[in-house]
Amino acid sequence: MNSELIIDSTADEVQIALLEEKRLVEFNSEKKDNNFSVGDIYLGRIRKIMPGLNAAFVDIGYEKDAFLHYLDLGPQFLSLVKFMKNTGSGSQQDGMLTNFELEKDIDKGGKVSSALAANQWIPVQIAKEPISTKGPRISSDISLAGRYVVMVPFSNVVSVSQKIKSSEERNRLKRLAQSIKPKNFGLIIRTVAEGKKVAEIDKDIQDLISKWNQFYELLKSSKPPMKLLGEMDRTSTILRDMLNPGFNSIYVNDQVFYEEVRSYIRSIAPEQEEIVKLYKGKVPIFDHLGVDKQIKSVFGKTVNLQNGAYLIIEHTEALHVIDVNSGGRSKAGADQEKNALQVNLMAAKEIARQLRLRDMGGIIVIDFIDLHTAANKKELFDVLRAEMKRDRAKHTILPPSKFGLVQITRQRVRPETKITTAEKCPACDGTGEIKASILLIDDIKNNARYILTEQNEKSVLIKVHPYIAAYLTKGIFSMRWKWSREFRKKVKIEAVSSYHLMEFHFYNQSGEEIKI
């Protein structure tokens, strides 16, 4: 399967689109100032113990305290606390655990008040990003993820991904890991390690040991709340977890980001370094590669399928509901059961894609069109499970109920991706009132005059709706040409299809927006 990664980097955020066979299957948007990502490790301070919840609220620097349940302390919590105390007192000479004596596992049925106390300092790792009105969900069962292995401090257990089916390969990897792993560090062998040589896995382990030593050094002098170790950004995480020989292109529109991605690919898969390509076109990268159009068509309440069938996707605080409708498809044939099965199979494939695209988590209830035969219900269930295998998030699918409902639980670790596909009214800009459209060009010209003459900018780029761009640039002696002559400075016009008709923005030579 051919996979492409499109990366749109701007001053404020990075947007990442993953395409499989030219179809958008994942979309991520990450603010560059996002300080609370899954995998980040913080030194926190216990703010409040909640015996009724068997949990504690922890200050890690976020506006709302993070939530730490007793079951998220991890079996080796006492070893982590001992390591932190030894590090603070200086008795722990380095980050390695060769001479460290592990403590007993904590009682699974214990109480949080017996393990934690108010104002106690504790290293924690973000398990879920802040969602809605809730603060981050955290864990003190710390792990460090690499490309081939996940390293778990204070453990000696080696386990292998269940997705590696060959028992011979599983045994080989387990023996290999046990022979090279450091003492008191457990390992989880990831699926991508299948067939890899000892040198590649050992290098991955050494990189993780280096990160752990960095954590140790910061722990010696830090005070809460403080970030000790950051997970990689979303782009690097996706590349680490998903990069395979099926990737044929990675497009980046920013020179600095291009060098960073290329350097990272060189470190994990040097044979694929050449697939990273710098996009230099004038048209926005998502527009040029058809991503923006796909985003507009697949996000929103209604998602259209082939031959008139469609999905209705509704979101509530507790769950997500997806309704499958045949639409005009019901008129296609006389066999209602066959027709319903075809629509349901089509919908199952699109629903699996939608869950990845929107990163929908929690409980999802799907109301498929009623099927009467057991064989058809089984076929639908099997197809849905097969399509969901591509989903990296942990999930569970229940068979159709007697009412034809399919229930899915899907891991939620960050807010759902929401994109507004409805555009503002081009006439009223959402206000219900409009100004005379004849004045629009005058507004653009007057603002351009102010920027070029009063603010003394050397040139200006004006981004407008394609209709307006066509009007300003038509003919040899276009409006844009006349403005350049009048102001004696360079005026550029760029069409942006996502703008509404009366929207316009100004940018300087550096590509920074000029606020009027």
Side-chain angles (χ1 to χ4, degrees):
M1 178 179 291
N2 290 329
S3 300
E4 294 177 298
L5 203 65
I6 319 298
I7 304 171
D8 181 14
S9 177
T10 64
D12 301 322
E13 66 179 345
V14 177
Q15 291 185 320
I16 310 159
L18 175 63
L19 277 64
E20 292 178 357
E21 304 295 350
K22 300 296 182 181
R23 292 181 76 241
L24 182 66
V25 294
E26 283 192 30
F27 180 76
N28 294 278
S29 180
E30 181 181 45
K31 297 288 184 183
K32 289 190 175 177
D33 60 354
N34 181 24
N35 293 321
F36 298 91
S37 299
V38 173
D40 290 350
I41 300 176
Y42 284 79
L43 180 60
R45 179 174 63 85
I46 305 296
R47 178 92 75 176
K48 189 186 297 183
I49 303 292
M50 303 294 289
L53 298 173
N54 204 21
F57 286 101
V58 185
D59 175 21
I60 61 171
Y62 188 66
E63 56 187 290
K64 290 185 180 292
D65 290 338
F67 183 79
L68 175 64
H69 194 273
Y70 178 82
L71 295 177
D72 291 325
L73 293 178
Q76 283 294 327
F77 174 71
L78 296 178
S79 296
L80 175 64
V81 172
K82 177 182 175 181
F83 177 80
M84 188 181 71
K85 287 181 179 178
N86 290 351
T87 300
S89 65
S91 59
Q92 181 73 31
Q93 298 297 319
D94 56 39
M96 300 307 293
L97 305 175
T98 308
N99 300 316
F100 185 86
E101 188 174 339
L102 298 179
E103 297 293 310
K104 290 183 178 180
D105 291 2
I106 62 172
D107 180 12
K108 290 182 180 180
K111 300 295 182 184
V112 70
S113 54
S114 65
L116 300 174
N119 295 315
Q120 179 181 345
W121 296 8
I122 177 175
V124 293
Q125 188 168 30
I126 293 184
K128 289 184 180 180
E129 293 178 13
I131 297 173
S132 185
T133 59
K134 301 175 183 177
R137 178 80 181 253
I138 55 176
S139 167
S140 57
D141 193 8
I142 291 173
S143 62
L144 302 177
R147 176 154 170 79
Y148 301 120
V149 301
V150 176
M151 191 172 75
V152 184
F154 314 113
S155 170
N156 283 296
V157 176
V158 174
S159 58
V160 182
S161 168
Q162 294 295 324
K163 293 182 180 179
I164 299 178
K165 301 301 182 183
S166 168
S167 58
E168 185 179 335
E169 177 64 6
R170 291 171 63 85
N171 291 333
R172 182 189 77 87
L173 289 171
K174 196 165 187 175
R175 289 195 304 269
L176 186 156
Q178 287 173 332
S179 66
I180 62 176
K181 83 172 189 65
K183 185 180 178 182
N184 292 332
F185 285 94
L187 293 178
I188 302 170
I189 311 298
R190 307 184 72 173
T191 309
V192 289
E194 187 171 8
K196 298 302 178 183
K197 297 179 180 178
V198 62
E200 294 174 283
I201 296 176
D202 183 58
K203 181 181 181 303
D204 202 32
I205 293 174
Q206 295 307 315
D207 289 343
L208 295 178
I209 288 292
S210 177
K211 286 183 71 173
W212 176 256
N213 286 328
Q214 182 185 343
F215 163 78
Y216 162 77
E217 292 296 333
L218 288 169
L219 190 61
K220 288 195 291 188
S221 57
S222 299
K223 294 182 178 180
M226 183 175 178
K227 186 175 182 177
L228 298 177
L229 208 61
E231 175 62 293
M232 296 185 298
D233 56 63
R234 286 291 291 150
T235 310
S236 299
T237 303
I238 289 174
L239 290 173
R240 179 192 69 194
D241 295 346
M242 297 192 64
L243 187 67
N244 58 56
F247 266 78
N248 57 351
S249 297
I250 299 174
Y251 295 96
V252 189
N253 67 341
D254 178 81
Q255 179 71 45
V256 174
F257 211 79
Y258 164 77
E259 296 294 343
E260 290 177 3
V261 172
R262 194 176 173 92
S263 174
Y264 181 68
I265 293 287
R266 190 184 306 126
S267 68
I268 65 170
E271 71 280 1
Q272 290 183 276
E273 182 184 349
E274 296 305 317
I275 69 175
V276 186
K277 301 167 185 175
L278 179 63
Y279 175 74
K280 297 181 179 180
K282 295 181 180 179
V283 179
I285 187 170
F286 274 10
D287 281 354
H288 176 73
L289 296 172
V291 176
D292 198 51
K293 183 177 180 181
Q294 290 199 56
I295 290 173
K296 292 287 186 184
S297 66
V298 297
F299 284 91
K301 179 178 176 179
T302 302
V303 179
N304 293 317
L305 306 176
Q306 297 176 11
N307 300 329
Y310 60 94
L311 306 176
I312 298 292
I313 303 177
E314 295 277 9
H315 308 280
T316 72
E317 188 69 23
L319 49 79
H320 309 276
V321 181
I322 303 176
D323 184 35
V324 180
N325 292 278
S326 59
R329 175 82 187 202
S330 59
K331 302 172 185 176
D335 189 340
Q336 184 179 355
E337 179 78 4
K338 182 179 178 181
N339 186 75
L341 178 62
Q342 289 176 343
V343 172
N344 282 339
L345 294 178
M346 191 191 314
K349 295 177 182 179
E350 181 60 31
I351 287 168
R353 177 193 181 203
Q354 287 290 327
L355 298 187
R356 291 175 66 188
L357 265 175
R358 304 184 188 219
D359 206 4
M360 292 162 61
I363 301 172
I364 300 111
V365 179
I366 307 167
D367 183 11
F368 284 104
I369 301 171
D370 288 344
L371 295 172
H372 301 291
T373 66
N376 287 343
K377 290 180 181 179
K378 184 180 184 303
E379 183 179 354
L380 171 61
F381 182 59
D382 290 344
V383 167
L384 182 59
R385 282 201 307 178
E387 291 294 323
M388 289 291 290
K389 282 184 179 179
R390 300 178 188 175
D391 196 337
R392 290 177 293 131
K394 294 178 182 177
H395 59 270
T396 303
I397 309 171
L398 297 182
S401 70
K402 63 186 293 186
F403 300 112
L405 302 177
V406 173
Q407 299 171 67
I408 299 175
T409 59
R410 186 177 183 273
Q411 184 183 30
R412 176 166 59 180
V413 296
R414 56 181 56 86
E416 178 193 350
T417 302
K418 294 182 179 177
I419 295 177
T420 303
T421 57
E423 298 181 0
K424 289 182 180 179
C425 170
C428 71
D429 198 21
T431 64
E433 296 179 352
I434 64 168
K435 62 182 178 181
S437 56
I438 197 172
L439 301 177
L440 175 65
I441 302 302
D442 288 343
D443 279 352
I444 297 174
K445 180 180 179 181
N446 290 337
N447 284 317
R449 177 188 288 111
Y450 171 75
I451 289 168
L452 294 172
T453 59
E454 299 292 331
Q455 293 191 345
N456 205 30
E457 291 284 349
K458 294 181 180 178
S459 65
V460 66
L461 168 64
I462 308 172
K463 294 186 178 183
V464 293
H465 188 278
Y467 289 170
I468 305 301
Y471 176 76
L472 293 176
T473 57
K474 68 176 181 179
I476 298 175
F477 302 109
S478 64
M479 195 78 72
R480 183 202 63 79
W481 181 85
K482 292 176 182 176
W483 291 353
S484 296
R485 293 264 298 178
E486 181 179 341
F487 305 139
R488 297 186 177 181
K489 290 184 178 178
K490 197 168 186 178
V491 177
K492 297 180 182 177
I493 305 293
E494 182 178 312
V496 181
S497 59
S498 60
Y499 283 11
H500 61 80
L501 188 62
M502 304 185 80
E503 183 177 2
F504 56 88
H505 297 277
F506 299 90
Y507 295 82
N508 61 20
Q509 276 185 319
S510 303
E512 299 168 341
E513 185 175 357
I514 303 170
K515 301 292 184 180
I516 303 298

